[in-house]
Each structure stands twice: as C-alpha cells, then as structure tokens.
Amino acid sequence: MTALARKAQVVDTPSESAATSAFAADVVAGLTATPKRLPPKYFYDSVGSELFERITGLSEYYLTRCELEILNAHAREIADLVPSGAALIEFGSGSSTKTRVLLSTAKSLAAYVPVDISAEFLRRQAGSLRQEYPTVAMLPVAADFSKPFSLPESVERLPRAGFFPGSTIGNFEPHEAAAFLRHAARILGRGATFIVGVDLVKDPQVLQKAYNDSEGVTARFNLNLLARINRELGAKFHLDAFEHHAFFNRERSRIEMHLASLKRQRVKVCGECIDFRAGETIHTENSYKYSLESFGALARGAGWTTAAVWTDADKYFSVHALRLQDGPADGRAEKA
Ligand code: AVJ
C-alpha cells in the first residue's frame, strides 16, 4: 500500500472509540444541563435512520410527500438553475429519492458530492447511484456538514450548486441557520445556487399530528435516543419510564420534542447519576417552521438572494432557490 492510500484510509475511518467518546461527552453535557437536552443528530443510528424512513412514509408526516410533490412538479425549472457542468453538493444525505429527481433532470452535472456523518451509509448510497448515473462523478465526503469541511480537489474548479432538502435547516436555531447559510456560501462560492427545503407555519393541528402519528413511530424514534445511550454507553434507561411529548410552540414557531420522565428517578449514565423529577423532560429536538417571508429574510441576512420559491398545493412546504451574488455573505467567498 502506498503512503497516500494508507493516509486516505486513516482519514476516512474515524475510529469508533473517538465517535463513542464524543457521543458520551455530548450526552453527559446535555443531561447535566438545566433544562436537560440531547442533540438531535444522535437520532440517526441504524435503528433511528430506519424509523425516520418509516416516518417519511406516514400520511400524517406531510413534509416528505409535499417536498417531493414540489421537486417533481418543478424539476425542469430547478434543474435549469443549476449551472451546466456543475458539482451538486448535498448537505446531509439519506434522501436519495429527492436527490434522484435532481440527478435525473440536471443532465449536465459533472459531480455529486453527498456530505454526511455516516461513512458507511455514504459508501452504500454512492455505490448504487454510480450504476444509475454513470456520467456523474460520485464523490462522497464523510463529515459533519454543519462544521467546516473541504470539498474534493476535483470539484474545486467547477461551478457549484447546493442541495439541503427535508427542512433539516429547521433543526437549527434561527441564528444558527443564518450561520449555516453563511458557511454554505463560503463552501459553494460566488455565483452558486442553493436549493433549500423549508417547512412552513400552518394550522397547529396539522403540525401536531405530523409529530404525534397514530402508529407511534415518532414516539419510538424519539425514545430510540435513550435506547441508543443504553446500547452504546451502557446506561440503563427504562424506556417505559419515559414518554414522547411533541407540541407546537407558537411563540417561537417551532415543534418541540421532549422525553418526559413519568416518575422521580435516577439513571446512571457514564458514571454520572442523573436525577429526574416526575414530569421533567429532556428536550431532544426543535423543528422550526418559517413563513416564505421569514425564511427569505433569514437567507438575505446571510448574503443570499431568492431566485425562486415553490410550494405544494396546500402551501404546507416550500423549496427555495437561493443565489449567491458577487459580494456574498460577509464579503468573501474563498473559492471564487
Ligand atoms: C429531518 C429534522 C426535518 O424535524 O421534521 C421527524 C426530523 N423529527 N419527526 C423534522 C423529525 C420527528 C425531521 N427533520
């Protein structure tokens, strides 16, 4: 093996123990904080990813259905906003159905760069896409897309378009979402287009149901976080001593998910004793809901202009095509 090959292998396989200790540190920090919280990115181990897949197929979970309706209805227009010969950078992958709409319609794409934490998932996904789209270079990057990362050298000179579907941007606090859009501007560079899926404010009943489905899949998805802590960190959470709570916080325009302790209890996690009052919750996720105007304003504040916006027939969900003008974000695009 050459030195280069050896190096590449080390770089792209972050050791399991390093990942586990980062998880442990975040769990202990979140559970010893007041109020208690856990980062939503840890929902997606293999069990959680599978549960999320099931959520996207639920009739109550309108987000995926509405976004696909928009992408399919406007595929041509969206694809026309992607410069020819461009590299398509996807922030967090996993939504290969949505990606396929773009890969199939934007015929002249030179490369597809999915950026995701799960190297294993990326490898499998890239493998099947390679067969379906033999003319597009598949260049997965294993990284946390919310932190700075470098693009593969071969796409540095290509025009770039970004894709961030699913309203994952709603997991960020609004100020973090703005920071993320500035970070994306730096990665995508001058003249870039950014296609972003954003869930919209609507009848709270509809929102409520989307996060409290009748089959209880979302409840299991939420509780899997405790199951994962048990599996990977050897804790002993009793899953039946906690309950899934999801509600719309109107004032902050967000769905909040919590895990509520059904009784007073103490759980040992990584050597720390975590005490719960009866009814005390762990805040596990926020899912912000925007209006077309409020998201447009957020994007504008981060240096992007709105080239186009589409919604589904019910106006439940939106897809924004953002454009980076010559003087982007905080006045610089590294790659321009
Ligand atoms: C993938 C973050 C967009 O907030 O709707 C689904 C995750 N949480 N059901 C969302 C989720 C509960 C989802 N996002």
Side-chain angles (χ1 to χ4, degrees):
M1 190 188 330
T2 67
L4 194 79
R6 219 167 18 244
K7 186 166 163 240
Q9 200 173 32
V10 174
V11 169
D12 110 338
T13 318
S15 78
E16 197 169 305
S17 64
T20 302
S21 62
F23 179 41
D26 286 347
V27 166
V28 169
L31 294 182
T32 53
T34 316
K36 294 179 170 59
R37 54 184 152 74
L38 288 169
K41 66 178 175 190
Y42 293 119
F43 281 134
Y44 304 92
D45 66 346
S46 60
V47 178
S49 301
E50 191 130 322
L51 287 166
F52 181 67
E53 249 340 276
R54 284 189 56 194
I55 289 173
T56 64
L58 297 167
S59 60
E60 293 128 316
Y61 195 76
Y62 60 84
L63 290 81
T64 311
R65 177 173 19 95
C66 291
E67 187 173 36
L68 270 169
E69 176 187 323
I70 298 166
L71 293 175
N72 283 314
H74 303 283
R76 184 72 279 150
E77 290 160 80
I78 296 170
D80 285 347
L81 288 166
V82 176
S84 70
L88 180 68
I89 322 290
E90 183 167 339
F91 294 81
S93 59
S95 53
S96 40
T97 328
K98 295 170 196 169
T99 308
R100 280 182 172 82
V101 178
L102 293 192
L103 291 178
S104 309
T105 318
K107 289 268 153 39
S108 59
L109 273 184
Y112 171 58
V113 184
V115 182
D116 198 276
I117 282 201
S118 166
E120 174 50 30
F121 179 83
L122 279 170
R123 242 186 292 275
R124 259 183 290 139
Q125 193 209 28
S128 59
L129 289 177
R130 236 170 231 132
Q131 309 224 303
E132 283 174 66
Y133 305 95
T135 61
V136 183
M138 300 292 166
L139 305 165
V141 171
D144 179 346
F145 65 77
S146 65
K147 305 207 173 107
F149 62 88
S150 5
L151 290 174
E153 236 175 84
S154 53
V155 309
E156 271 179 14
R157 266 165 216 84
L158 302 177
R160 293 188 279 277
F163 188 39
F164 193 35
S167 202
T168 304
I169 197 159
N171 271 180
F172 293 124
E173 293 298 316
H175 75 275
E176 294 170 341
F180 169 78
L181 288 172
R182 266 181 238 113
H183 155 69
R186 248 171 265 129
I187 290 167
L188 295 173
R190 201 172 287 181
T193 302
F194 197 13
I195 309 294
V196 186
V198 182
D199 196 18
L200 298 176
V201 188
K202 61 183 65 61
D203 179 356
Q205 288 251 43
V206 175
L207 287 168
Q208 190 84 12
K209 278 195 184 159
Y211 294 85
N212 290 282
D213 65 277
S214 52
E215 288 174 48
V217 186
T218 309
R220 259 179 287 154
F221 174 72
N222 198 5
L223 284 160
N224 176 57
L225 208 41
L226 299 183
R228 180 178 184 183
I229 294 170
N230 287 348
R231 281 192 296 272
E232 293 181 25
L233 306 177
K236 289 201 172 66
F237 279 104
H238 291 287
L239 299 201
D240 47 12
F242 288 87
E243 195 172 68
H244 165 72
H245 280 192
F247 57 89
F248 185 55
N249 179 335
R250 246 181 227 264
E251 202 182 340
R252 310 197 63 176
S253 197
R254 68 190 193 195
I255 285 280
E256 294 186 14
M257 289 215 309
H258 295 256
L259 289 163
S261 176
L262 294 175
K263 58 179 189 195
R264 209 177 127 196
Q265 55 182 317
R266 169 173 286 182
V267 183
K268 214 165 164 194
V269 183
C270 302
E272 297 270 340
C273 288
I274 311 294
D275 288 309
F276 291 87
R277 288 173 278 112
E280 185 178 2
T281 77
I282 307 169
H283 189 172
T284 53
E285 185 177 51
N286 286 321
S287 192
Y288 278 88
K289 309 305 172 187
Y290 290 92
S291 65
L292 295 178
E293 297 71 29
S294 67
F295 188 76
L298 183 88
R300 209 159 37 249
W304 295 88
T305 48
T306 303
V309 191
W310 302 275
T311 64
D312 57 293
D314 292 322
K315 291 203 160 58
Y316 279 1
F317 200 90
S318 62
V319 172
H320 298 244
L322 306 177
R323 263 283 164 67
L324 199 55
Q325 304 301 60
D326 281 348
D330 40 13
R332 60 202 135 85
E334 263 163 28
K335 314 264 158 57

